[in-house]
Amino acid sequence: MTEVISRQIGRAAAIPAGEGRAFAVDGQQIAVFRGRGGALRAMEAVCPHAGGPLADGQLDDAKIVCPLHNHMFSLSDGSCLNGDFAVRTYPIREENGQLIVSLGPAS
């Protein structure tokens, strides 16, 4: 069985419905979003096109729109819906009021 690296990154209450926030996690920036229905999603926080801050983008329940050049990324798999880019997504959960992100297998 492979051990998964998980990190507590902040308070879940810090992210209102319909918004995103960026967190520094093990030397990388991860954007965490709370959909209007309350679902949490996490992905790389920097747009690969021009370095835009994805946590500041326009959010709906299926995608985030980069605030710099309107590239749209799927919240479920990180694929770009209008370009040849992609960002990595991460499993995230709320536990005892804290956000816990899973970064992948331990090396």
Side-chain angles (χ1 to χ4, degrees):
M1 183 172 183
T2 304
E3 179 186 358
V4 174
I5 299 171
S6 294
R7 297 284 186 260
Q8 179 177 308
I9 60 172
R11 292 183 24 248
I15 306 175
E19 294 188 22
R21 299 287 186 272
F23 296 88
V25 183
D26 289 0
Q28 58 189 324
Q29 290 290 311
I30 296 179
V32 178
F33 304 96
R34 183 181 300 277
R36 298 206 185 279
L40 291 168
R41 301 289 187 159
M43 63 175 48
E44 291 176 310
V46 179
C47 178
H49 169 249
L54 292 179
D56 294 340
Q58 293 294 313
L59 175 70
D60 70 23
D61 284 336
K63 66 184 175 298
I64 184 71
V65 180
C66 178
L68 293 186
H69 297 108
N70 297 320
H71 282 90
M72 296 179 282
F73 295 90
S74 166
L75 291 172
S76 62
D77 66 7
S79 63
C80 186
L81 304 173
N82 60 342
D84 293 330
F85 310 104
V87 293
R88 182 175 174 195
T89 59
Y90 302 91
I92 188 154
R93 69 185 187 280
E94 183 176 341
E95 189 174 290
N96 298 321
Q98 297 295 312
L99 296 169
I100 310 293
V101 66
S102 297
L103 301 176
S107 52

